[in-house]
Amino acid sequence: MPTLSMKEEDRDYAVSFALPGDSEGITYVIGRQSCDTRKMEGDTFDRGNLLFGGIESLVIFDDVFVPWERVFMYREHEFTGQLVEKFASYHRQSYACKVGVGDVLIGATQTVAEYNGVDRASHIRDKIIEMNHLNETLYCGSIACASEGQREPCGTYYVNTLLANVHKQNITRFPYEIARLAQDCAGGLLVTLPSERDFRSHEIGALLDKYCSARTDVPAEHRMRILRLIENITMGAAAVGYLTESMHGAGSPQAQRIMISRLINMEEKKRLAKKLCGVELNSERIPRSLRRG
Ligand SMILES: Cc1cc2nc3c(=O)[nH]c(=O)nc-3n(C[C@H](O)[C@H](O)[C@H](O)COP(=O)(O)OP(=O)(O)OC[C@H]3O[C@@H](n4cnc5c(N)ncnc54)[C@H](O)[C@@H]3O)c2cc1C
């Protein structure tokens, strides 16, 4: 589907349709991700997340047959702006998904702080409170733009566009701060950690167990696993979704700022301010004959 407002000369690309993913003529060129070859090493804890992962791809449509009943837009370039605006608003509302990742990251940060033996330090506790504050603020934004939505004449519900854009703008920022705080609490071992193969090695495994533990009652392996998960979310394969997709998904930050500037009711805000400080009142009281202009 179109990703921006199009003009007459763009009309060949003003198309929107749905197809089965394996239709003839579609080519997927899979993207390269950070740490992607770790996924090919089997179930080592170096993967960080043993259960889930994802990929992105460049999708090329070359002479693909699309039945008419699956075509939603065909060269109607004059509606592309409206289509993008509505699609983007729904997509911007849907960014509660990052809050779920934030929950995992906060849980991992609390756990590593405990494994490191610093969970009672006041600044660590405060940083974890801050992470929760930011994450729940994001949750509030997603709930707000959905619950402030309106029923359309056709029966479907449309999100509150201003709040959806505000919410997405926060999504371009807060996960980065949450990730920063997670790395702060985790410590530098996050990036200097040896591989699982080294931990299993007869030669140096015992030494790594000894020097990579922070507490006698927590096995070094547990500490390594949780650090790998934080690595995965904040700079490894999952950072694609948690950070960069938060920045650019459903449009880059500037796209939301343009929408916010269009949707805010500035005249109403000015009216309220003027009323409280007496500007409006005074101008009403001045006799018409004495007013300027
Ligand atoms: C991992 C990932 C997954 C994604 N998944 C989806 C998805 O499933 N569905 C979906 O719809 N989208 C998805 N997106 C978003 C989409 O792919 C684009 O990344 C997004 O629309 C931003 O476009 P872009 O990457 O080409 O960046 P650009 O548009 O090139 O933006 C780069 C910078 O240039 C600025 N810029 C661009 N054009 C102008 C201009 N004309 N004037 C001034 N400044 C400009 C932008 O503000 C930004 O700062 C995903 C993105 C990522 C990273």
Side-chain angles (χ1 to χ4, degrees), residues 56 87 91 240 244-245 248-250 252 254:
E56 309 292 334
F87 161 75
H91 193 0
V240 171
T244 317
E245 203 262 330
H248 288 294
S252 305
Q254 191 60 18

Side-chain angles (χ1 to χ4, degrees), residues 76-288:
E76 294 137 321
H77 67 90
E78 62 274 32
F79 297 110
T80 50
Q82 198 184 355
L83 180 67
V84 172
E85 196 177 303
K86 290 200 181 261
F87 161 75
S89 294
Y90 279 115
H91 193 0
R92 288 168 193 172
Q93 180 275 325
S94 77
Y95 276 95
C97 57
K98 304 302 174 205
V99 180
V101 185
D103 284 335
V104 174
L105 186 54
I106 292 167
T109 307
Q110 176 65 37
T111 306
V112 83
E114 290 169 13
Y115 289 175
N116 287 348
V118 295
D119 55 304
R120 301 225 172 128
S122 62
H123 78 99
I124 296 285
R125 287 160 84 134
D126 193 54
K127 282 165 184 163
I128 292 173
I129 291 169
E130 178 68 7
M131 291 168 82
N132 278 293
H133 163 69
L134 293 169
N135 206 43
E136 296 306 322
T137 302
L138 295 177
Y139 185 61
C140 294
S142 184
I143 294 289
C145 53
S147 61
E148 292 279 311
Q150 301 248 329
R151 195 167 192 268
E152 297 283 278
C154 62
T156 188
Y157 280 80
Y158 184 47
V159 297
N160 180 301
T161 317
L162 173 60
L163 297 187
N165 279 279
V166 169
H167 170 53
K168 173 66 215 313
Q169 180 81 176
N170 287 337
I171 288 284
T172 68
R173 299 173 180 180
F174 295 0
Y176 285 87
E177 180 61 9
I178 295 171
R180 191 183 73 80
L181 292 167
Q183 291 193 359
D184 177 346
C185 297
L189 196 56
L190 190 61
V191 292
T192 57
L193 196 59
S195 70
E196 177 170 342
R197 202 171 290 175
D198 290 326
F199 271 89
R200 306 277 181 234
S201 135
H202 292 300
E203 210 178 329
I204 50 167
L207 286 172
L208 294 180
D209 264 343
K210 179 179 175 188
Y211 290 115
C212 291
S213 318
R215 278 170 44 177
T216 49
D217 57 340
V218 177
E221 181 178 330
H222 290 190
R223 190 168 174 232
M224 301 309 111
R225 282 180 182 272
I226 207 78
L227 284 166
R228 285 288 183 225
L229 178 61
I230 297 173
E231 179 197 36
N232 174 262
I233 297 173
T234 65
M235 66 182 85
V240 171
Y242 188 54
L243 300 179
T244 317
E245 203 262 330
S246 291
M247 179 70 79
H248 288 294
S252 305
Q254 191 60 18
Q256 291 109 57
R257 299 184 81 78
I258 291 167
M259 286 301 290
I260 292 168
S261 74
R262 273 191 210 152
L263 293 166
I264 46 172
N265 187 346
M266 190 56 86
E267 287 311 311
E268 174 63 2
K269 292 178 199 298
K270 278 163 57 183
R271 190 188 68 75
L272 294 170
K274 285 179 181 176
K275 185 177 175 184
L276 286 178
C277 72
V279 172
E280 204 177 335
L281 213 62
N282 287 344
S283 69
E284 275 166 13
R285 282 187 183 159
I286 298 169
R288 187 176 292 271

